[in-house]
């Protein structure tokens, strides 16, 4: 058995020789591409690490075993090593193991020390950085919408943590515009670090709102970032209609529609959701339904979100039937809520949702206008 260490770990002692390892970085890569790692090896032993010693990364479901020469390390000295390994074909985000293993070996194959390291999901976001927006737009736009309290902002927060190069602590973002009943009260554009992808956070749907065509304005690209849910759409309609030449900058290329699992047992609220989702379908935007808060029904899901649980599949099927969408377009989300330490499994699940939405958005993206947009009475963001 090998001890587990996150990339941000401090030195961890091993046996055989008094060798300590400090993982430094795992460089950005896309699924199917080679992975490059950097690690510092410190010899805290009174004997030197032998000449011709090599650092190995052991084979697993993702990685082909490979090694790089380390050479001698004198007592109480350190050496930094960079190693690139090939990954196996046909791998999807679901196949990425939680950890990988370093092993420092002598020329004769004696293990001098080893360390099992937790992957960072950020390292597999290289494919997201390569997605380019259509001509005339700065971003690929993904709309996050759905019932209030469904965890839309929590999902966005999880994505922002996932792409962050910061340490192993979860940062819980405070999104602007929160309210007592709605965590989000303002239509907000949130760019994803290091990519050309932008998430639009919306206030949640309930039985009383979205009655003046707000959702259609959002999906058509007419509503600007910064619009508040308490504003009267009719007071700003003239201003919005003047922006028709620039709607391609704001129009979503894919939509994630969040539905709390408990709502699916309420016929009236499910009908409200279906009505709003049908509006999106009629506008022909690629959409995924995300069943949320399932860890309240299946507590084990929070610690093992990628495991298969019968209850999860039952609610996915219920959502597909109730909302009239193919089962293949129904996913589930387990975002960060109270976690203080980053979880590879939570981030892997969120990566899968974002990666699939980005692929759908890329397929949907079309050429948009380059015309500039004038400002109205309120300094909305028309970009």
């Amino acid at each position: 058995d090998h001890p587990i260490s996150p990339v941000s770990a401090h030195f961890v002692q091993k046996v055989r020789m008094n060798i300590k390892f400090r993982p430094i970085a795992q460089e950005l890569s896309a699924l199917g591409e080679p992975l490059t790692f950097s690690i510092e090896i410190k010899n805290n032993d009174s004997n030197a690490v032998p000449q011709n010693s090599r650092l190995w990364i052991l084979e697993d479901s993702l990685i082909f075993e490979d090694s790089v020469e380390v050479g001698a390390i004198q007592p109480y000295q350190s050496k930094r090593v960079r190693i690139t390994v090939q990954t196996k074909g046909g791998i999807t985000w679901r196949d990425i193991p939680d950890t990988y293993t370093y092993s420092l070996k002598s020329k004769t194959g004696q293990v001098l020390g080893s360390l099992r390291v937790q992957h960072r999901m950020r390292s597999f976001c290289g494919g997201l950085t390569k997605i380019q927006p259509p001509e005339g737009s700065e971003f690929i736009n993904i709309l996050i919408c759905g019932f209030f309290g469904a965890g839309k902002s929590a999902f966005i927060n999880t994505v922002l943590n996932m792409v962050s190069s910061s340490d192993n602590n979860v940062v819980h973002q405070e999104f602007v515009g929160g309210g007592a009943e709605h965590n989000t009260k303002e239509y907000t554009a949130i760019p994803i670090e290091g990519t050309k992808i932008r998430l639009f956070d919306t206030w949640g749907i309930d039985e009383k709102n979205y009655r003046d065509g707000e959702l259609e304005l959002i999906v058509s690209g007419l509503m600007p970032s910064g619009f508040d849910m308490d504003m009267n759409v009719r007071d700003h309609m003239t201003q919005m209609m003047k922006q028709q030449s620039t709607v391609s900058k704001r129009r979503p290329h894919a939509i994630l529609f969040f539905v709390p699992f408990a709502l699916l047992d309420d016929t009236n609220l499910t009908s409200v959701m279906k009505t709003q989702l049908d509006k999106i379908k009629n506008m022909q935007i690629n959409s995924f339904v995300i069943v949320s808060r399932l860890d309240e029904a299946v507590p084990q899901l929070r610690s093992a979100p990628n495991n298969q649980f019968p209850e999860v599949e039952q609610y996915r099927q219920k959502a597909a039937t109730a909302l009239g969408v193919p089962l293949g377009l129904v996913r589930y989300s387990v975002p960060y809520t109270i976690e203080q330490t980053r979880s590879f499994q939570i981030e892997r699940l969120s990566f899968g949702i974002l990666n699939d939405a980005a692929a759908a958005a890329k397929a949907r993206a079309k050429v948009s206008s380059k015309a500039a947009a004038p400002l109205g009475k309120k300094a909305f963001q028309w970009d």
Side-chain angles (χ1 to χ4, degrees):
D1 235 9
H2 307 279
I4 299 177
S5 170
V7 170
S8 58
H10 299 292
F11 287 115
V12 178
Q13 184 171 333
K14 286 301 300 175
V15 295
R16 300 291 176 88
M17 289 185 67
N18 190 358
I19 301 295
K20 297 183 179 181
F21 298 88
R22 184 168 69 90
I24 299 170
Q26 182 176 338
E27 298 177 16
L28 278 180
S29 177
L31 291 173
E33 294 182 349
L35 293 173
T36 299
F37 306 87
S38 296
I39 187 169
E40 186 174 53
I41 305 170
K42 186 174 183 180
N43 180 10
N44 274 5
D45 203 273
S46 58
N47 299 306
V49 171
Q51 189 69 31
N52 300 319
S53 62
R54 301 185 71 85
L55 180 69
W56 291 81
I57 292 186
L58 304 185
E59 183 168 1
D60 57 25
S61 60
L62 172 68
I63 294 170
F64 286 110
E65 184 168 279
D66 208 342
S67 67
V68 64
E69 184 170 340
V70 174
I73 305 178
Q74 297 305 313
Y76 312 110
Q77 298 298 307
S78 300
K79 182 175 288 190
R80 291 194 174 192
V81 178
R82 188 169 180 265
I83 179 171
T84 298
V85 295
Q86 299 298 315
T87 58
K88 298 177 180 179
I91 292 292
T92 71
W93 61 267
R94 294 178 179 85
D95 304 316
I96 302 172
D98 291 20
T99 62
Y100 59 97
T101 302
Y102 289 112
S103 184
L104 180 64
K105 299 181 181 181
S106 68
K107 183 179 179 180
T108 60
Q110 181 187 21
V111 177
L112 307 176
S114 60
L115 182 70
R116 189 154 51 106
V117 183
Q118 184 170 286
H119 275 298
R120 277 288 180 84
M121 205 59 231
R122 177 182 184 273
S123 304
F124 298 93
C125 291
L128 298 177
T129 67
K130 298 177 182 179
I131 296 178
Q132 295 298 312
E135 183 180 350
S137 296
E138 293 185 31
F139 295 95
I140 288 285
N141 298 322
I142 299 176
L143 177 66
I144 311 295
C145 65
F147 205 74
F148 80 89
K152 301 181 296 298
S153 297
F155 170 77
I156 293 173
N157 180 65
T158 303
V159 168
L160 296 181
N161 274 276
M162 177 186 72
V163 300
S164 171
S165 58
S166 62
D167 61 19
N168 204 38
N169 297 322
V170 174
V171 176
H172 291 279
Q173 305 277 356
E174 292 291 339
F175 292 104
V176 175
E181 295 183 356
H182 290 260
N183 288 334
T184 301
K185 293 189 67 180
E186 191 174 284
Y187 185 49
T188 308
I190 304 168
I192 298 179
E193 176 187 338
T195 76
K196 291 292 185 179
I197 300 172
R198 180 169 60 174
L199 304 180
F200 276 90
D201 195 13
T202 59
W203 59 89
I205 296 169
D206 60 30
E207 295 171 284
K208 300 177 181 178
N209 61 11
Y210 285 92
R211 292 186 173 183
D212 289 327
E214 292 92 341
L215 190 58
E216 293 92 328
L217 289 168
I218 290 171
V219 176
S220 67
L222 282 168
M223 185 171 286
S225 176
F227 196 90
D228 192 281
M229 69 178 288
D230 294 326
M231 292 179 179
N232 190 321
V233 168
R234 283 165 285 197
D235 293 341
H236 300 274
M237 187 62 72
T238 300
Q239 182 186 0
M240 290 184 191
M241 295 308 292
K242 290 179 180 179
Q243 309 302 322
Q244 290 189 72
S245 62
T246 63
V247 294
S248 57
K249 293 183 178 182
R250 298 176 298 278
R251 183 185 295 127
H253 303 106
I255 297 174
L256 299 178
F257 193 90
F258 282 71
V259 180
F261 80 97
L263 179 147
L264 296 169
D265 295 321
D266 187 314
T267 304
N268 292 333
L269 293 180
T270 301
S271 177
V272 172
M273 288 293 101
K274 189 175 187 307
T275 298
Q276 299 295 353
L277 186 57
D278 285 345
K279 293 177 183 178
I280 294 172
K281 290 182 189 176
N282 292 337
M283 300 182 79
Q284 300 181 337
I285 306 294
N286 295 319
S287 304
F288 295 86
V289 170
I290 312 299
V291 182
S292 64
R293 303 181 67 161
L294 270 168
D295 54 300
E296 295 174 12
V298 188
Q300 311 95 293
L301 198 59
R302 180 147 293 278
S303 59
N306 298 280
N307 288 9
Q308 293 186 342
F309 297 97
E311 300 94 330
V312 172
E313 293 310 304
Q314 289 167 10
Y315 275 106
R316 286 184 62 237
Q317 184 63 64
K318 183 179 287 189
T321 302
L323 300 174
V325 297
L327 183 60
L329 296 179
V330 180
R331 309 298 168 81
Y332 65 95
S333 174
V334 182
Y336 288 133
T337 53
I338 61 173
E339 285 79 11
Q340 298 300 314
T341 303
R342 291 170 67 164
S343 161
F344 175 78
Q345 291 212 10
I346 286 178
E347 292 188 4
R348 179 170 58 186
L349 184 64
S350 297
F351 171 86
I353 294 171
L354 178 64
N355 189 61
D356 291 348
K362 181 181 177 182
R364 179 70 174 77
K366 293 182 179 180
V367 174
S368 53
S369 171
K370 296 182 180 180
L375 290 176
K377 296 179 182 178
K378 183 178 187 287
F380 294 129
Q381 296 177 31
W382 295 103
D383 295 330

